Amino acid sequence: MQAEIVILGSGTSMGVPTLGCTCAVCTSTDPRNRRMRPSIAVEWQWEGAPRRVLIDTGPDFREQALRSGVHHVDAVFYTHPHADHILGLDDLRPLSFRHRPNYLPLYADANTARILERVFEYTFSPASQYPTRARVQLFPIDGHDTTQVAGAAFQRVPLQHGNVEVSGFRFGNAAYLTDMKSIPDASLPLLEGLDVMILDALRPQEHPSHANLEEALHWVEVVKPRQAWFTHMSHEIDHEATEATFPPHVRLSYDGLRIPIEI
């Protein structure tokens, strides 16, 4: 089944341009150097209707959705509970109302679900009196759980984000592995035979919880996808200059990029 990945945001937690910075990347006129907080949409057709899954809803989600024409959502998967991945949850409200009388399903591991329930207490608490709160329902995922959404399977892929386990996801011949430092040995079999891999590549320098460019290239060599796209990039990465140093099957993603896949 044909599908597309839409890169809603390819930036790091501070975004690019970064506030207060006047470096060459932050002042660049190359639109590929303007990066919102990291998120993707996966889009396909099922039973004659358009389908869409989001992975993360960061603080830029509203603008990303307007720019990319996100008019409906079938489900949302969360990678982990950091601010740049969850703070747009409230912007799901008008999209969730379309699910009446049902609820928009959200999938998250136990730690992420716990923090979502705390940060968005007025959304999830049974005692909430907020009449127009998002119509969403949390469902737990763990281990290598696979979740079916409108004919497509989304499998959780555990990753290490520093010393914290977070969720990557495989769907069809593609995988999205943002905010990772390393891939545990037990997760590598889940990534065999990929055509498209999107993965964390924060900056040239070492970082305690994110893969730098050298480490990201290492994981490309380990997993051996047909095509790799880097994401979660800081203002220390200039798109044109950095991409020119890579082999042909490795590229930098950018906001608004659409990548065809099979799901």
Side-chain angles (χ1 to χ4, degrees), residues 198-219:
I198 302 170
L199 71 158
D200 192 351
L202 180 70
R203 64 187 190 186
Q205 299 83 12
E206 177 78 11
H207 189 277
S209 58
H210 291 273
N212 64 9
L213 290 176
E214 181 180 357
E215 291 164 330
L217 288 167
H218 163 75
W219 289 114

Side-chain angles (χ1 to χ4, degrees), residues 2-3 17 33 37 40 46 53 66 75 89-90 92 127 140 152 161 171-172 176 188 204 209 222 247 252 258:
Q2 293 183 335
N33 280 332
R37 267 61 75 92
I40 66 167
W46 175 251
V53 158
L66 289 170
L89 185 150
D90 197 62
L92 292 171
H161 183 26
F171 35 95
Y176 182 64
L188 289 174
S209 58
V222 171
L252 302 186
R258 289 179 172 266

Side-chain angles (χ1 to χ4, degrees), residues 118-192:
R118 186 172 75 229
V119 172
F120 295 97
E121 185 272 341
Y122 62 91
T123 296
F124 294 105
S125 171
S128 174
Q129 298 300 307
Y130 187 39
T132 57
R133 59 183 174 172
R135 293 183 60 82
V136 294
Q137 184 174 357
L138 272 169
F139 294 92
I141 53 174
D142 191 18
H144 303 160
D145 285 353
T146 297
T147 304
Q148 297 287 332
V149 180
F154 289 78
Q155 184 174 30
R156 183 176 183 267
V157 179
L159 304 170
Q160 285 301 126
H161 183 26
N163 60 359
V164 177
E165 182 179 289
V166 299
S167 301
F169 294 96
R170 177 169 184 162
F171 35 95
N173 67 352
Y176 182 64
L177 313 176
T178 189
D179 284 53
M180 52 149 279
K181 178 73 170 177
S182 63
I183 305 172
D185 288 345
S187 292
L188 289 174
L190 307 178
L191 301 173
E192 292 178 354

Side-chain angles (χ1 to χ4, degrees), residues 15-249:
V16 182
T18 300
L19 290 178
C21 184
T22 58
C23 75
V25 174
C26 286
T27 57
S28 170
T29 58
D30 185 342
R32 298 171 300 179
N33 280 332
R34 187 174 184 86
R35 305 176 181 124
M36 296 192 202
R37 267 61 75 92
S39 178
I40 66 167
V42 184
E43 300 178 349
W44 70 100
Q45 291 277 332
W46 175 251
E47 295 183 341
R51 307 294 182 171
R52 182 181 289 108
V53 158
L54 303 176
I55 300 183
D56 292 333
T57 54
D60 299 319
F61 172 64
R62 180 178 178 276
E63 286 300 316
Q64 293 167 338
L66 289 170
R67 180 192 61 199
S68 296
V70 175
H71 303 301
H72 80 279
V73 175
D74 292 282
V76 183
F77 290 83
Y78 284 97
T79 60
H80 65 297
H82 289 172
D84 54 322
H85 296 261
I86 69 169
L87 287 186
L89 185 150
D90 197 62
D91 288 323
L92 292 171
R93 285 193 299 143
L95 301 176
S96 74
F97 298 158
R98 297 186 174 200
H99 286 256
R100 288 190 177 104
N102 299 316
Y103 288 76
L104 173 62
L106 313 180
Y107 298 93
D109 62 40
N111 181 53
T112 302
R114 181 169 58 251
I115 293 175
L116 286 172
E117 289 174 330
R118 186 172 75 229
V119 172
F120 295 97
E121 185 272 341
Y122 62 91
T123 296
F124 294 105
S125 171
S128 174
Q129 298 300 307
Y130 187 39
T132 57
R133 59 183 174 172
R135 293 183 60 82
V136 294
Q137 184 174 357
L138 272 169
F139 294 92
I141 53 174
D142 191 18
H144 303 160
D145 285 353
T146 297
T147 304
Q148 297 287 332
V149 180
F154 289 78
Q155 184 174 30
R156 183 176 183 267
V157 179
L159 304 170
Q160 285 301 126
H161 183 26
N163 60 359
V164 177
E165 182 179 289
V166 299
S167 301
F169 294 96
R170 177 169 184 162
F171 35 95
N173 67 352
Y176 182 64
L177 313 176
T178 189
D179 284 53
M180 52 149 279
K181 178 73 170 177
S182 63
I183 305 172
D185 288 345
S187 292
L188 289 174
L190 307 178
L191 301 173
E192 292 178 354
L194 287 178
D195 284 343
V196 173
M197 180 168 72
I198 302 170
L199 71 158
D200 192 351
L202 180 70
R203 64 187 190 186
Q205 299 83 12
E206 177 78 11
H207 189 277
S209 58
H210 291 273
N212 64 9
L213 290 176
E214 181 180 357
E215 291 164 330
L217 288 167
H218 163 75
W219 289 114
V220 172
E221 285 300 306
V222 171
V223 176
K224 300 187 186 307
R226 185 179 61 82
Q227 187 179 58
W229 296 88
F230 290 169
T231 193
H232 203 287
M233 295 172 289
S234 75
H235 64 156
E236 294 164 277
I237 294 178
D238 176 78
H239 189 103
E240 184 175 9
T242 304
E243 191 174 75
T245 68
F246 292 156
H249 67 295

